[in-house]
């Protein structure tokens, strides 16, 4: 789901799709062996009426024939309107505003947010290849055609993406993830430019994207994936999940695979190549160390040590009697019901146990005494398939090895709401829901102003869901500053550090994570701010943080320090460091420069500690 981006779902058009079959399986033999590729061109046919010329009346109604422009889309409900091309060559009419006397015809199918734009010989589509697809052939392509003969009866459409075809015979698979092993982009949220040379369309893909496409399979059948053309130099991996998000197995090859524009690559039946996974999770979350946050990659039953504070050996104070969920959140667009993310929470013999449903989201679990008072609390970060050590990004100049996403984010895909993550007041271990987080209960308690009773560490621990605003005499949520809550890398990890075991809040300031690569001065650069996705890809801009193609920093906004309101989602992104600066703390800040594609980056900005902002954890 994109955020702060206006888009429409394209309107329906009836086309007759014809695709020749592929006789050979490209995914044959062992997991590291692929047979010779066999490709089949994709062609489509459509009837039209040659007795009329294009007419656009005052209301925008269009009648068409060969040689004139028409735009087709595969889904219903879009603002372009709807058109039906009859098998008997009836006239197609639809409500739209189109350029007259255009020289080509376009049929665009698939994509999450297709928007059409014509100018001379160029047709642009935003969101041409999406990260999540249905597996149906009818929406697994982007095809175009140009009319050369006004009297022609058949239009030949050329597919501009690469199609991957596979068959499943087992019925327990609900989702397939198709990934390149070398981070080659498979989907793109940028712009697809189509030009015509000698009647044949040529496509160039730009913008950012990702190296994994999810396809809903819903059991046995034959399915299609629409992909950006390219060479997968290190091969690919197919991961299979059940309806609860549990990994059922994987099929992988390291042999290079070429995905060609306008062709179908047939992987054949993949059941026999799907390996049975090793135990896919350790139920003891604290086995490798205690922390204030635990990552849940798959659904299942878990437990962790609830006897100590964070990553320390300091015992939790009070007499534990039980455990409860304080809140749950998702980015699905609607608030989760209680138990949608985690359920079955309990406490026994110094351990908290619970069951993760396998759904993406976040939750906070509290250890309580007999009266229900909170003694300590933990952030449960449920992110399907996410194992951070497998997705780390190494920044230049030995600055650090960093997570590929914000703390609490369920996605690292540019533009997705799930990439925003959660927000933290400096020095506190417990998160607050960020942009596009729908929570259960629907709202958290109202903010309180910092004073002698509320502006204390003890109050923050006992009230992890309460946002503490600063008062007019103090720009901190604490009435008395404490610089040791989050520690720099030269000291042991702070008790209140919100990052999972093995990770910590990064150093900031002049010698911190971002300044080591980008320098200490604020800078502006054209083309860095992504107006559509609302953020910066520091993998491809003029000052990259590291060698990865996508290092995405979204504009997740912040919670205001004075009133506790969420602000600037999609406009700015502020990332805490552990480094203090007098009564404030250092952070990394990004924003557009005068609402343009020019970015404004501040590697060493300082903010009041009562703000709640994003955290990007670094490997210890």
């Amino acid at each position: 789901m994109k955020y702060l981006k206006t888009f429409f779902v394209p309107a329906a058009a009836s086309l007759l799709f014809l695709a020749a079959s592929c006789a050979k399986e490209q995914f044959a033999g062992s997991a590291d062996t692929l047979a010779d590729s066999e490709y089949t061109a994709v062609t489509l046919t459509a009837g039209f009426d040659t007795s009329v010329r294009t007419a656009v009346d005052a209301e925008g109604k269009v009648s068409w024939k060969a040689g004139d422009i028409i735009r087709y889309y595969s889904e219903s409900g879009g603002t372009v309107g709807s058109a039906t091309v009859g098998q008997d060559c009836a006239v197609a009419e639809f409500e739209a505003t189109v350029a007259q006397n255009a020289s080509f015809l376009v049929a665009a199918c698939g994509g999450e947010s297709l928007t059409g734009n014509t100018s001379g010989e160029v047709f642009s589509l935003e969101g041409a290849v999406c990260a999540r697809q249905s597996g149906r052939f009818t929406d697994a392509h982007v095809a175009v055609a140009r009319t050369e003969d006004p009297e022609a009866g058949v239009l030949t459409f050329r597919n501009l993406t690469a199609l991957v075809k596979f068959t499943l015979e087992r019925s327990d698979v609900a989702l397939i993830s198709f990934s390149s092993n070398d981070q080659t982009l498979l989907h793109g949220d940028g712009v697809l430019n189509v030009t015509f040379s000698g009647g044949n369309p040529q496509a160039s893909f730009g913008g950012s994207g990702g190296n994994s496409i999810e396809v809903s399979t819903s059991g046995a059948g034959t399915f299609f994936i629409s992909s950006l053309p390219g060479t997968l130099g290190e091969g690919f991996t197919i991961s299979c999940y059940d309806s609860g998000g549990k990994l059922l197995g994987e099929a992988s090859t390291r042999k290079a695979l070429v995905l060609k524009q306008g062709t179908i690559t047939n992987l054949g039946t993949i059941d026999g190549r799907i390996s049975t996974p090793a135990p896919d999770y350790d139920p003891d979350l604290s086995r490798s160390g205690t922390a204030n946050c635990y990552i849940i990659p798959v659904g299942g039953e878990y437990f962790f040590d609830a006897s100590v504070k964070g990553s320390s050996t300091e015992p939790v104070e009070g007499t534990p009697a039980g455990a409860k969920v304080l809140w749950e959140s998702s980015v699905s667009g609607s608030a989760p019901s209680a138990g949608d993310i985690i359920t079955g929470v309990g406490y026994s013999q110094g351990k908290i146990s619970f069951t993760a449903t396998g759904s993406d989201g976040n939750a906070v679990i509290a250890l309580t005494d007999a009266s229900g008072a909170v003694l300590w609390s933990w952030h449960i970060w449920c992110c399907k398939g996410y194992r951070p050590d497998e997705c780390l990004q190494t920044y230049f100049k030995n600055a650090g090895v960093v997570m590929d996403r914000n703390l609490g984010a369920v996605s690292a895909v540019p533009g997705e709401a799930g990439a925003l993550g959660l927000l933290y007041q400096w020095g506190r271990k417990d998160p607050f829901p960020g942009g596009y987080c729908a929570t259960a209960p629907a709202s958290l308690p109202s903010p309180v102003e910092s004073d002698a009773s509320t502006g204390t560490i003890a109050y923050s621990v006992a009230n992890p869901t309460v946002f503490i605003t600063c008062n007019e005499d103090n720009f901190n949520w604490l009435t008395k500053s404490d610089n040791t809550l989050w520690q720099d890398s030269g000291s042991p990890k702070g008790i209140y550090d919100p990052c999972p075991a093995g990770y910590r809040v990064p150093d900031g300031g002049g010698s911190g994570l971002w300044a080591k690569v980008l320098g200490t001065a604020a800078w502006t650069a054209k083309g860095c701010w992504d107006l559509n996705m609302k953020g910066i890809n520091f993998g491809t801009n003029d000052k990259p943080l590291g060698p990865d193609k996508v290092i995405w920093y979204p504009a997740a906004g912040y919670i205001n320090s004075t009133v506790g309101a969420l602000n600037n989602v999609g406009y700015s992104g502020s990332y805490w460091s552990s480094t203090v600066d007098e009564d404030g703390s250092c952070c990394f800040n990004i924003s557009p420069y005068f609402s343009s594609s020019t970015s404004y980056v501040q590697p060493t900005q300082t903010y009041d500690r009562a703000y709640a902002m994003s955290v990007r954890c670094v490997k210890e």
Side-chain angles (χ1 to χ4, degrees), residues 312-481:
S312 75
T313 58
E314 184 177 329
V316 172
E317 299 167 2
T319 304
K324 62 182 179 181
V325 177
L326 300 182
W327 58 265
E328 298 174 90
S329 74
S330 69
V331 289
S332 62
S334 59
S337 299
D340 280 356
I341 308 300
I342 59 175
T343 186
V345 177
Y347 170 78
S348 178
Q349 298 180 341
K351 294 179 173 58
I352 287 178
S353 59
F354 64 92
T355 298
T357 64
S359 297
D360 284 341
N362 291 275
V364 173
I365 293 178
L367 179 68
T368 61
D369 63 15
S371 69
V374 174
L375 304 179
W376 200 262
S377 50
W378 293 264
H379 166 211
I380 306 302
W381 182 4
C382 298
C383 187
K384 183 172 58 183
Y386 180 52
R387 292 171 174 81
D389 287 352
E390 299 175 2
C391 306
L392 292 175
Q393 297 178 322
T394 301
Y395 287 8
F396 291 132
K397 299 183 180 180
N398 296 317
V401 180
V402 191
M403 283 187 176
D404 70 340
R405 65 196 66 199
N406 289 354
L407 186 53
V410 296
S411 170
V413 177
E416 289 194 350
L420 296 179
L422 304 177
L423 303 175
Y424 293 78
Q425 290 188 284
W426 191 93
R428 295 186 70 175
K429 63 184 176 60
D430 297 291
F432 292 92
Y436 296 89
C437 279
T439 60
S443 61
L444 300 184
S446 299
V448 300
E449 185 178 276
S450 177
D451 59 26
S453 62
T454 61
T456 67
I457 294 173
Y459 181 88
S460 72
V461 171
N463 298 273
T465 62
V466 177
F467 188 90
I468 305 171
T469 66
C470 61
N471 58 44
E472 59 183 10
D473 299 321
N474 182 27
F475 295 101
N476 196 339
W477 60 270
L478 284 171
T479 54
K480 183 179 180 181
S481 294

Side-chain angles (χ1 to χ4, degrees), residues 202-387:
Q202 301 294 322
S204 61
F205 295 88
S208 57
N211 74 314
S212 180
I213 294 175
E214 292 186 346
V215 176
S216 300
T217 55
S218 301
T222 297
F223 305 95
F224 292 85
I225 302 170
S226 181
S227 170
L228 297 178
T231 299
L232 282 54
E234 295 295 324
F236 61 89
T237 297
I238 293 178
S239 303
C240 303
Y241 300 89
D242 66 12
S243 58
K246 180 180 180 181
L247 180 65
L248 299 175
E250 292 184 334
S252 184
T253 177
R254 287 287 172 178
K255 187 176 179 64
L257 176 68
V258 178
L259 301 178
K260 295 184 178 180
Q261 177 179 307
T263 64
I264 296 175
T265 300
N266 188 4
L267 303 183
T269 301
I270 65 173
D271 298 66
R273 284 87 177 180
I274 300 174
S275 63
T276 301
D280 48 15
Y281 74 97
D282 185 346
D284 184 357
L285 295 171
S286 53
R287 186 185 303 278
S288 60
T290 59
N292 291 311
C293 171
Y294 293 107
I295 299 174
I296 310 299
V298 296
E301 297 179 354
Y302 295 88
F303 65 90
F304 60 87
D305 184 352
S307 66
V308 296
K309 297 179 178 180
S311 59
S312 75
T313 58
E314 184 177 329
V316 172
E317 299 167 2
T319 304
K324 62 182 179 181
V325 177
L326 300 182
W327 58 265
E328 298 174 90
S329 74
S330 69
V331 289
S332 62
S334 59
S337 299
D340 280 356
I341 308 300
I342 59 175
T343 186
V345 177
Y347 170 78
S348 178
Q349 298 180 341
K351 294 179 173 58
I352 287 178
S353 59
F354 64 92
T355 298
T357 64
S359 297
D360 284 341
N362 291 275
V364 173
I365 293 178
L367 179 68
T368 61
D369 63 15
S371 69
V374 174
L375 304 179
W376 200 262
S377 50
W378 293 264
H379 166 211
I380 306 302
W381 182 4
C382 298
C383 187
K384 183 172 58 183
Y386 180 52
R387 292 171 174 81

Side-chain angles (χ1 to χ4, degrees), residues 508-547:
S511 59
L513 174 70
W514 301 285
K516 284 182 178 179
V517 183
L518 304 176
T520 59
W523 54 278
T524 60
K526 292 183 178 180
C528 288
W529 185 266
D530 194 315
L531 287 170
N532 293 321
M533 304 307 168
K534 307 299 182 184
I536 297 178
N537 177 13
F538 282 101
T540 58
N541 69 337
D542 60 337
K543 288 189 178 183
L545 284 171

Side-chain angles (χ1 to χ4, degrees), residues 581-603:
D581 183 8
E582 296 182 352
D583 289 332
S585 291
C586 298
C587 69
F588 175 60
N589 190 63
I590 62 171
S591 63
Y593 193 67
F594 296 119
S595 300
S596 70
S597 60
T598 298
S599 61
Y600 187 60
V601 179
Q602 297 168 295

